[in-house]
Amino acid sequence: MKNILVTGGAGFIGSNYINHILTERDDYNIINLDNLTYAGNLENLKPSENKKNYTFIKGNISNSELVNYIFNKYKIKYVINFAAESHVDRSILGSEIFYRTNVIGTNVLLEISRRNEIEKFVQISTDEVYGSLGREGLFTENTPISPNSPYSSSKAAADMMVLAFYHTYKMPVVITRCSNNYGPLQFPEKLIPLMIINALNNKRLPVYGDGMFVRDWIYVTDHNKAIDLVLDKGKIGEVYNIGASNEMPNIKIIKLILEYLKKSEDLIQYVKDRPGHDRRYAIDSSKIQDELAWKPCYSFETAIIETIEWYIQNKNWWGRIISGEYQNYYKLQYKI
Ligand code: NAD
Ligand code: TYD
């Protein structure tokens, strides 16, 4: 059995990872440590909650006493650190919690992992640490780190700490830097779920600036398959970019969503731009493709339609987020 500490497993990518991997691997014992911030939703883990090789623990990655206890009790040998404050707009409103979780929290995990001589520490980072691109070019693993938002600067700081643990202690760390994810279970503050849900509710779709900001979209399962490969075969001390070569201006995705839902483009509302808004992200993922034989399996054209359909079919899921009811699931399940 591989005893794996997955942090932030009640969020969008982490819950998709756990649900996916527990259907594929019965040699994984997953301990999910998540403190259920606004972004954590235990309902996401319904498919996994009764599995013998899955345990949920509510708690903060910055709590070293708790993290120590978990390492000892569950004999943790692998860590996948998804836990983070992840929304750029929130980081602009207030950056402190971003540093506490993304930097200090990662540092706590690294220190305790080092003392326990773990086999591998996978840090889930982001392409946003590279900053913004002009019209041409792609981010490679050698692109200098140049983050622009409080969110991306906190992720970059964590990356630097992770690499310092490799250089100083030869700790077996690997970093993944992925582009923008989409798919089921994404919290409706991010572009794609927000636009789908607003359109379904006939509410305005707020488009920042001129709508021509470019993101490179990848389906969440493709990202998670790459993470699992990195956990298994990623070379220690290395960084792997992950992306599906699918650049798109925001307005194109928004129009596609409206067209599929047969809603009028009059719902589009151009609003004041996000301060410091990065113009373009685009990933060169040839390293992970060449070294680990990973490649994306989902085409944007079909996976975006499946994603829109998922939000249509799961109105109760996002309805409970909008009403705040989703936060009661933990209390109900654990009878608190
Ligand atoms: P999310 O915001 O949906 O989920 C984050 C999870 O972490 C939540 O369940 C939350 O409760 C938990 N968490 C927050 N602070 C915590 C703390 N102090 N202790 C324990 N748990 C805590 O985020 P996501 O979109 O699933 O992203 C997961 C990771 O992937 C993040 O590290 C993010 O930087 C990275 N990433 C995200 C994207 C994307 O497009 N969403 C792209 C590349 C990288
Ligand atoms: P977001 O989903 O917040 O991801 P990130 O900023 O981490 O890339 O935003 C994706 C893009 O969509 C980004 O260019 C900002 C833009 N955007 C809007 O135009 N309107 C919105 O309401 C949101 C949330 C994002």
Side-chain angles (χ1 to χ4, degrees):
M1 269 296 196
K2 267 187 167 176
N3 293 331
I4 308 172
L5 175 63
V6 171
T7 69
F12 163 49
I13 305 175
S15 61
N16 273 290
Y17 175 79
I18 293 173
N19 292 336
H20 166 76
I21 216 65
L22 288 181
T23 58
E24 302 234 313
R25 310 284 301 239
D26 47 21
D27 57 330
Y28 281 20
N29 182 31
I30 294 206
I31 316 303
N32 174 14
L33 172 63
D34 193 304
N35 70 342
L36 301 182
T37 66
Y38 78 93
N41 184 351
L42 267 197
E43 287 188 31
N44 295 355
L45 292 149
K46 273 186 185 164
S48 305
E49 66 188 16
N50 293 323
K51 294 205 164 138
K52 282 200 303 291
N53 51 345
Y54 170 73
T55 307
F56 173 70
I57 297 171
K58 182 179 184 311
N60 197 316
I61 57 166
S62 308
N63 179 343
S64 44
E65 217 176 299
L66 174 65
V67 175
N68 250 320
Y69 165 82
I70 294 171
F71 268 74
N72 289 331
K73 175 158 185 193
Y74 296 99
K75 310 272 176 281
I76 298 297
K77 285 291 164 208
Y78 298 84
V79 175
I80 310 177
N81 184 25
F82 290 98
E85 289 294 331
S86 70
H87 192 39
V88 174
D89 291 330
R90 286 181 191 253
S91 79
I92 294 167
L93 294 173
S95 60
E96 193 182 332
I97 186 67
F98 283 73
Y99 267 72
R100 285 190 192 285
T101 292
N102 301 1
V103 186
I104 297 170
T106 301
N107 183 245
V108 167
L109 293 171
L110 284 166
E111 277 295 353
I112 295 171
S113 298
R114 177 168 78 84
R115 280 185 240 131
N116 284 276
E117 298 181 343
I118 65 162
E119 311 255 330
K120 202 172 256 179
F121 186 105
V122 181
Q123 172 68 4
I124 308 303
S125 186
T126 164
D127 63 350
E128 301 193 28
V129 299
Y130 296 121
S132 186
L133 289 165
R135 278 167 197 268
E136 302 291 321
L138 301 172
F139 295 135
T140 74
E141 291 80 358
N142 295 323
T143 302
I145 299 299
S146 181
N148 291 318
S149 72
Y151 162 67
S152 55
S153 75
S154 69
K155 294 294 289 186
D159 282 12
M160 296 294 96
M161 186 62 83
V162 170
L163 290 174
F165 270 64
Y166 170 67
H167 289 289
T168 310
Y169 308 112
K170 297 287 166 277
M171 221 181 98
V173 304
V174 192
I175 295 176
T176 61
R177 293 187 181 138
C178 190
S179 60
N180 286 63
N181 286 219
Y182 66 97
L185 305 173
Q186 188 167 30
F187 197 83
E189 63 185 353
K190 303 279 166 64
L191 180 79
I192 289 181
L194 181 79
M195 297 300 160
I196 298 171
I197 291 169
N198 278 12
L200 287 169
N201 287 333
N202 297 310
K203 279 176 65 178
R204 290 300 181 96
L205 275 48
V207 180
Y208 298 165
D210 63 0
M212 291 304 291
F213 294 81
V214 172
R215 297 293 182 263
D216 189 353
W217 295 94
I218 181 170
Y219 190 60
V220 64
T221 308
D222 274 333
H223 182 191
N224 281 330
K225 286 183 172 175
I227 291 171
D228 200 48
L229 204 54
V230 167
L231 178 73
D232 206 22
K233 299 202 171 77
K235 245 177 86 187
I236 67 163
E238 295 289 319
V239 173
Y240 293 94
N241 283 353
I242 303 170
S245 301
N246 184 55
E247 288 182 50
M248 216 166 275
N250 297 332
I251 194 68
K252 190 170 169 199
I253 300 187
I254 291 165
K255 288 186 174 169
L256 183 156
I257 292 169
L258 287 170
E259 191 188 337
Y260 185 75
L261 294 175
K262 300 193 173 49
K263 300 281 182 174
S264 162
E265 286 188 7
D266 292 346
L267 287 176
I268 291 172
Q269 183 174 34
Y270 287 91
V271 298
K272 196 164 165 282
D273 201 3
R274 170 190 281 174
H277 197 171
D278 286 337
R279 190 64 170 167
R280 176 172 166 258
Y281 302 144
I283 277 270
D284 175 344
S285 66
S286 51
K287 178 175 172 180
I288 191 170
Q289 303 214 25
D290 295 345
E291 289 185 13
L292 305 185
W294 172 85
K295 63 175 171 38
C297 299
Y298 292 84
S299 82
F300 183 78
E301 288 67 29
T302 52
I304 188 71
I305 299 304
E306 281 173 26
T307 300
I308 299 172
E309 279 296 333
W310 187 88
Y311 286 89
I312 296 172
Q313 303 303 328
N314 289 275
K315 285 187 177 149
N316 289 336
W317 177 86
W318 52 261
R320 284 193 292 275
I321 291 179
I322 290 168
S323 71
E325 217 185 308
Y326 74 110
Q327 286 174 320
N328 293 333
Y329 188 75
Y330 170 71
K331 293 183 197 149
L332 285 173
Q333 210 197 10
Y334 290 85
K335 303 191 174 50
I336 289 164

